[in-house]
Amino acid sequence: MSASTHWLATGASQSVLERGGNAFDAAVAAGFVLHVVEPHLNGPGGDMVLLLSEGAGLPEVLVGQGPAPRAATIEHFRAEGLSEVPGSGALAAAVPGSVEAWLELLEVHGTWHLREVLAYAIHYAEEGYPAGAQLCAVLKTMRPQFEAAWPTSAAQWLPSGAVPTPGQRLTNPAYARTLRRLVETAEAEGGTRTAQIAAVRRAWRTGFVAEAIEEFARTPHLHSDGGSHPGVITAADLASFRPDREKPLSLPFRGVDVVKAGFWTQGPVLLQTLAILDALGDDLLLDPSTGRGAHTILEALKLAMADRDAYYGDAAHGAFDPAVLISRPYASARAALIAQTASKVQRPGHLPGVVPFVPPVHGGPAHAAGQGGVGEPTVGADGVTRGDTCHVDVVDRFGNMVSATPSGGWLQSSPTIPALGFCLGTRLQMTWLDPASPSALAPERRPRTTLSPTMLVRDGAAVAALGTPGGDQQDQWQLLYLLRLLVGDYAPQQAIDAPAFHTTHAVSSFWPRVWDPAGVVVERRLGTEVIEELRRRGHDVTVSHDWSLGRLSTVTRDHLTGALGGAANARGAQGYAVGR
């Protein structure tokens, strides 16, 4: 069973499974296809967080999040006249991590050779794929900047001088050449399958890819602050990166263990919120379809996300035991703060001996007027470029399972590197130029990421993989899904299709770090009665289109019978689940 945010990636994954590959082979094939067909949502220069389970066993985390380059210091950014890390431009680039992570997954857990796995992405890059409506909208918005300041991007994405129309066939021959060169490297190595993939990983880290990235990034170019800056990333930064393996965090909730990556991601927000809601002891308060339930869920999310900004990040390691944040006593104390009306202030909890970081923020709504709060902040109506994400879930007949959320390296994040056919990511925009922050910018430190895949474990066996794009909304939409699935007894597809909402009260993880006190975005079909009750309780409600919030997908495996299932999001008309 395969499910993802784009039907071509789902199709590639399922093709691998049909031809005898395992879930890990299939996920890698899908991941490289996503680079090609959703280039405004992810790319080879970006990053990824991945959960994997072998044979339905306990999950582990594969960290495809690269750190800050060695020259990325607060002092350097301040010297460039910056008060924040820009939202676009190579100065905001972390070390690319997604490709290294995909290749490690294939090398260690896969069974296919590189040529077989990359054939799908090479085909679409060379022969073309139909442009989606959102991709065309992004290119339309970016066209003036491409033509005026990023000529290599204009050459790649506007080759005829015109913005493509939905359904028009697009290609990326430069990226196809990059992939073919990697395949040639593998086959020139000879030897075993794993030896070939290891050789490709060396070529990526120390060969032509790393060299092209350093050479291109050092040329000053337009960043989101309006200034022209060179990047600081070097080939040596790529050479030193290896994807980490980590034990995940988990929280028991209604018969399953909910599994997330650690406190260097926003993933524990989901666990904290579930713990807070569980501490209330009233299932009626956990129903997203009622005004009382929606209010309670939103207030619990606001408390967890305030803790995210105060305590999450690589810099916090060793300062306190982060498990306290998902403990019963702490959750009960947080739950007691939920009132009958909407909170309009940031309220992080207090941990003994730790000073919570209170982020400086810009005023104004975090959702741009006219954007509809769709949770895909790729390009706002204000012209500000942000970014979004992809997701893929795979399970095979052996119980092997993957939940992966790749992102970054969006075509709008930095100028295209013409020798490679892709651009760098901008994950460093999620760091702060303030050493007091647990997510402060520092060389060789990972930025706190919004990427947040999930797995569910029942009786020691992995039974589901799920996730969604959406930046700060990822764990919010997953929360609604889990409440409906585990408390409301919805089927997976019903839970995905149900009306969604999210808070914009949290400080945005994306430049320019705005926040909207008591802000809420809801799908209109949540209903007039619920929407009006939220307003009566003091929430600042923005009503979005009926089918606009979230792109969640999932695959499932019954731990007793081995039966497989899946579901995907109809929103955007690109997500797809398939299997047999």
Side-chain angles (χ1 to χ4, degrees), residues 215-228:
E215 180 180 359
F216 189 82
R218 66 166 63 117
T219 302
H221 53 275
L222 180 68
H223 284 55
S224 60
D225 69 313
S228 185

Side-chain angles (χ1 to χ4, degrees), residues 214-580:
E214 177 176 349
E215 180 180 359
F216 189 82
R218 66 166 63 117
T219 302
H221 53 275
L222 180 68
H223 284 55
S224 60
D225 69 313
S228 185
H229 311 278
V232 296
I233 192 169
T234 67
D237 292 315
L238 274 80
S240 61
F241 174 72
R242 303 290 188 283
D244 292 329
R245 301 293 188 105
E246 295 181 354
K247 289 184 177 180
L249 298 172
S250 66
L251 180 83
F253 184 81
R254 307 306 168 92
V256 300
D257 292 327
V258 182
V259 179
K260 303 293 290 186
F263 282 91
W264 56 274
T265 75
Q266 76 168 357
V269 161
L270 180 60
L271 305 184
Q272 277 198 255
T273 310
L274 287 171
I276 292 169
L277 293 172
D278 206 29
L280 294 171
D282 184 350
D283 282 1
L284 294 177
L285 297 176
L286 277 60
D287 185 353
S289 66
T290 69
R292 185 181 177 207
H295 165 76
T296 304
I297 291 164
L298 288 163
E299 291 302 294
L301 278 166
K302 288 155 70 171
L303 292 169
M305 296 186 82
D307 281 347
R308 179 197 70 172
D309 292 328
Y311 299 117
Y312 291 20
D314 257 8
H317 287 181
F320 64 95
D321 179 5
V324 171
L325 295 171
I326 56 174
S327 67
R328 277 186 184 276
Y330 186 84
S332 296
R334 299 295 273 157
L337 297 176
I338 297 177
Q340 296 300 311
T341 57
S343 168
K344 297 186 178 182
V345 296
Q346 296 293 336
R347 296 186 293 172
H350 296 282
L351 302 178
V354 184
V355 177
F357 176 71
V358 179
V361 293
H362 302 287
H367 49 279
Q371 191 179 347
V374 296
E376 295 184 5
T378 305
V379 181
D382 53 6
V384 174
T385 61
R386 300 177 181 92
D388 200 25
T389 306
C390 304
H391 187 77
V392 58
D393 302 302
V394 189
V395 62
D396 65 24
R397 62 191 183 277
F398 308 112
N400 299 317
M401 189 177 288
V402 173
S403 178
T405 309
S407 185
W410 316 297
L411 63 85
Q412 64 274 18
S413 63
S414 286
T416 299
I417 303 171
L420 301 176
F422 62 83
C423 61
L424 293 169
T426 54
R427 188 62 59 183
L428 295 188
Q429 70 180 289
M430 297 184 177
T431 65
W432 295 91
L433 300 184
D434 182 343
S437 169
S439 187
L441 177 68
E444 301 184 271
R445 179 186 293 166
R446 291 178 296 198
R448 190 199 76 210
T449 180
T450 53
L451 306 182
S452 192
T454 301
M455 280 191 176
L456 305 181
V457 172
R458 190 184 298 275
D459 297 333
V463 295
L466 61 124
T468 178
D472 293 314
Q473 288 79 47
Q474 287 185 29
D475 287 294
Q476 301 194 55
W477 293 332
Q478 291 180 67
L479 173 70
L480 301 181
Y481 172 82
L482 291 177
L483 291 176
R484 286 167 170 143
L485 182 80
L486 301 174
V487 182
D489 202 28
Y490 286 49
Q493 191 64 56
Q494 288 177 304
I496 287 174
D497 290 346
F501 56 82
H502 62 263
T503 178
T504 54
H505 177 91
V507 178
S508 172
S509 295
F510 294 86
W511 183 91
R513 310 306 282 264
V514 295
W515 78 299
D516 182 10
V520 177
V521 181
V522 305
E523 287 184 333
R524 182 173 51 198
R525 62 198 177 95
L526 189 65
T528 301
E529 182 178 340
V530 175
I531 292 170
E532 290 308 312
E533 180 166 351
L534 289 175
R535 286 177 170 149
R536 285 195 300 271
R537 289 174 178 266
H539 296 276
D540 178 13
V541 180
T542 296
V543 179
S544 185
H545 302 302
D546 280 349
W547 293 84
S548 56
L549 304 183
R551 292 173 67 205
L552 197 141
S553 65
T554 185
V555 297
T556 63
R557 180 179 186 273
D558 189 288
H559 67 300
L560 298 177
T561 67
L564 307 181
N569 206 311
R571 298 164 176 89
Q574 287 193 173
Y576 215 81
V578 66
R580 73 174 177 92

Side-chain angles (χ1 to χ4, degrees), residues 17-396:
L17 295 176
E18 296 279 357
R19 294 169 57 197
N22 67 17
F24 309 115
D25 301 315
V28 176
F32 278 92
V33 168
L34 288 171
H35 290 164
V36 178
V37 302
E38 292 197 316
H40 57 306
L41 305 178
N42 84 135
D47 30 49
M48 177 174 66
V49 180
L50 183 147
L51 297 175
L52 67 98
S53 166
E54 280 198 304
L58 294 178
E60 72 174 314
V61 182
L62 178 58
V63 180
Q65 176 57 66
R70 291 168 180 153
T73 64
I74 291 175
E75 293 74 20
H76 177 79
F77 279 65
R78 295 288 190 190
E80 290 286 315
L82 298 166
S83 59
E84 295 180 306
V85 178
S88 66
L91 194 56
V95 176
S98 67
V99 168
E100 261 285 279
W102 283 127
L103 293 178
E104 171 152 327
L105 185 69
L106 182 65
E107 178 184 346
V108 177
H109 301 281
T111 63
W112 276 26
H113 284 77
L114 190 70
R115 176 181 289 277
E116 299 172 300
V117 171
L118 295 188
Y120 301 90
I122 291 172
H123 170 81
Y124 292 122
E126 289 181 337
E127 302 298 325
Y129 60 94
Q134 189 197 21
L135 170 57
C136 295
V138 171
L139 291 174
K140 180 179 180 180
T141 302
M142 293 302 299
R143 178 181 178 176
Q145 181 167 319
F146 283 178
E147 293 179 337
W150 291 1
T152 58
S153 295
Q156 167 63 44
W157 299 107
L158 309 169
S160 65
V163 174
T165 56
Q168 181 176 334
R169 182 169 294 208
L170 300 183
T171 62
N172 189 341
Y175 186 46
R177 289 191 294 271
T178 296
L179 294 179
R180 285 197 177 279
R181 194 166 172 183
L182 293 176
V183 170
E184 291 167 1
T185 298
E187 296 181 345
E189 175 71 16
T192 65
R193 184 190 71 88
T194 55
Q196 290 182 12
I197 298 170
V200 170
R201 294 177 65 184
R202 289 193 298 273
W204 179 272
R205 291 193 306 267
T206 65
F208 73 99
V209 173
E211 292 167 359
I213 287 174
E214 177 176 349
E215 180 180 359
F216 189 82
R218 66 166 63 117
T219 302
H221 53 275
L222 180 68
H223 284 55
S224 60
D225 69 313
S228 185
H229 311 278
V232 296
I233 192 169
T234 67
D237 292 315
L238 274 80
S240 61
F241 174 72
R242 303 290 188 283
D244 292 329
R245 301 293 188 105
E246 295 181 354
K247 289 184 177 180
L249 298 172
S250 66
L251 180 83
F253 184 81
R254 307 306 168 92
V256 300
D257 292 327
V258 182
V259 179
K260 303 293 290 186
F263 282 91
W264 56 274
T265 75
Q266 76 168 357
V269 161
L270 180 60
L271 305 184
Q272 277 198 255
T273 310
L274 287 171
I276 292 169
L277 293 172
D278 206 29
L280 294 171
D282 184 350
D283 282 1
L284 294 177
L285 297 176
L286 277 60
D287 185 353
S289 66
T290 69
R292 185 181 177 207
H295 165 76
T296 304
I297 291 164
L298 288 163
E299 291 302 294
L301 278 166
K302 288 155 70 171
L303 292 169
M305 296 186 82
D307 281 347
R308 179 197 70 172
D309 292 328
Y311 299 117
Y312 291 20
D314 257 8
H317 287 181
F320 64 95
D321 179 5
V324 171
L325 295 171
I326 56 174
S327 67
R328 277 186 184 276
Y330 186 84
S332 296
R334 299 295 273 157
L337 297 176
I338 297 177
Q340 296 300 311
T341 57
S343 168
K344 297 186 178 182
V345 296
Q346 296 293 336
R347 296 186 293 172
H350 296 282
L351 302 178
V354 184
V355 177
F357 176 71
V358 179
V361 293
H362 302 287
H367 49 279
Q371 191 179 347
V374 296
E376 295 184 5
T378 305
V379 181
D382 53 6
V384 174
T385 61
R386 300 177 181 92
D388 200 25
T389 306
C390 304
H391 187 77
V392 58
D393 302 302
V394 189
V395 62
D396 65 24

